[in-house]
Amino acid sequence: MQTDPSLHVAKLECVSKSYGGLRVLEDFSFELRPGCVTALLGPNGAGKSTVAGLLTGRLSADVGKVSLFGLDPRDRRARARMGIMLQSAGLPETLTVMELIGLHASHYARRMATERVIEQAALVDLADRRCSKLSGGEQRRVQFALAISGAPDLLVLDEPTTGFDSEARRAMWQLVRAKAEAGTAVLLATHHMDEADALADRIVVIANGGVVADGLPSQIKSQVAGSVLRLRTRLPAARFRNLPDIVKVEERGADLAILTSSPRPTLEAVFQIDPDLQHFEVVGASLEDALENLIMSQSEKEAA
């Protein structure tokens, strides 16, 4: 009996996967729901690419079950309802943007009109330009257009804003959000914590073969107790590592970031070390802080 695909778009149930004896996923369960942007986060080697490979049918599970729209991910009926934007993919240099999108869309039974795809991907001004003349960011927008050209019910986006400036990134975020609001499920793999924070309805953190955390961005961030002190100081970071209630100290550009569970006592101690401190601010813990803390806690539990 097939699972009702309206309840989930894709699902991994108690899946394990190894490469050459190295276990990447262990009894791993995960699902994607319609109209939800799910960001999959974790350190390099955590298994993010393996999860995407299993869901898209490029990989097979050693143990467990993987389904896409209630079917085997390798089933053509399931694959026809999915669009994929890889981190890097070449474009044929001699075709124009419109020609390429039209050719790609022709492979889908539910293809969108080429003009509509170009409009939705904000490529109207580039429609007649040859792919060889596109910038890196423009090529990424074309790749997004190719991913949506078959009117997919699932979009798999791997680092979708690589090579974008801040304005282009925000524009891409709007495109992705529009697709989710129209009911498309989106799996987002990104190293940009601000991107996950801005785009995701749900964040799943994986490490050491399993799910470390699963929830709203605000819920993930709330798992880090405390605040971040951002300092502009001439003193080295080592001078601040023994302050009270410190979780971590790190350099972030020209600033020093101190994650602390008790910001007021920590700040008082900071002024004792650097009484000439002129610039500082106290902000909430970021998603990046939460991610690092969750993974560190998981590693400590396994080592205990």
Side-chain angles (χ1 to χ4, degrees), residues 94-162:
T94 58
L95 295 181
T96 67
V97 170
M98 179 173 288
E99 290 169 342
L100 176 59
I101 293 173
L103 177 63
H104 188 83
S106 68
H107 294 91
Y108 292 93
R110 293 195 310 173
R111 63 169 293 177
M112 291 172 58
T114 301
E115 293 76 10
R116 187 180 175 201
V117 175
I118 287 173
E119 182 179 350
Q120 288 195 7
L123 291 168
V124 174
D125 294 339
L126 300 173
D128 296 323
R129 185 174 299 181
R130 294 193 184 279
C131 294
S132 60
K133 303 297 183 182
L134 299 175
S135 68
E138 290 168 346
Q139 290 184 36
R140 295 297 285 162
R141 283 160 55 193
V142 172
Q143 289 161 359
F144 178 78
L146 298 179
I148 67 173
S149 63
D153 294 311
L154 168 62
L155 266 177
V156 179
L157 306 178
D158 188 1
E159 302 290 347
T161 59
T162 299

Side-chain angles (χ1 to χ4, degrees), residues 11-62:
K11 192 170 187 178
L12 277 68
E13 300 177 82
C14 303
V15 166
S16 295
K17 179 67 177 176
S18 298
Y19 298 103
L22 177 63
R23 184 60 57 89
V24 178
L25 297 179
E26 176 77 41
D27 196 25
F28 185 89
S29 295
F30 175 78
E31 67 178 32
L32 298 173
R33 298 184 289 272
C36 178
V37 179
T38 300
L40 191 61
L41 304 180
N44 290 334
K48 300 188 296 297
S49 296
T50 299
V51 170
L54 291 166
L55 288 175
T56 58
R58 292 183 292 110
L59 298 174
S60 298
D62 298 334

Side-chain angles (χ1 to χ4, degrees), residues 245-256:
D245 305 309
I246 289 296
V247 178
K248 69 174 180 178
V249 178
E250 66 179 10
E251 296 178 359
R252 296 183 181 175
D255 294 338
L256 196 66

Side-chain angles (χ1 to χ4, degrees), residues 193-194 221 224 226-233 235-237 241 247-260 279 281-293 296:
M193 298 300 106
D194 61 332
K221 288 188 286 188
V224 178
S227 304
V228 175
L229 306 182
R230 294 184 181 274
L231 315 176
R232 188 67 56 84
T233 177
L235 300 179
R241 296 194 189 280
V247 178
K248 69 174 180 178
V249 178
E250 66 179 10
E251 296 178 359
R252 296 183 181 175
D255 294 338
L256 196 66
I258 301 176
L259 179 62
T260 173
H279 176 77
E281 62 177 337
V282 182
V283 298
S286 69
L287 182 58
E288 185 172 5
D289 295 320
L291 179 62
E292 182 176 340
N293 189 68
M296 184 184 303

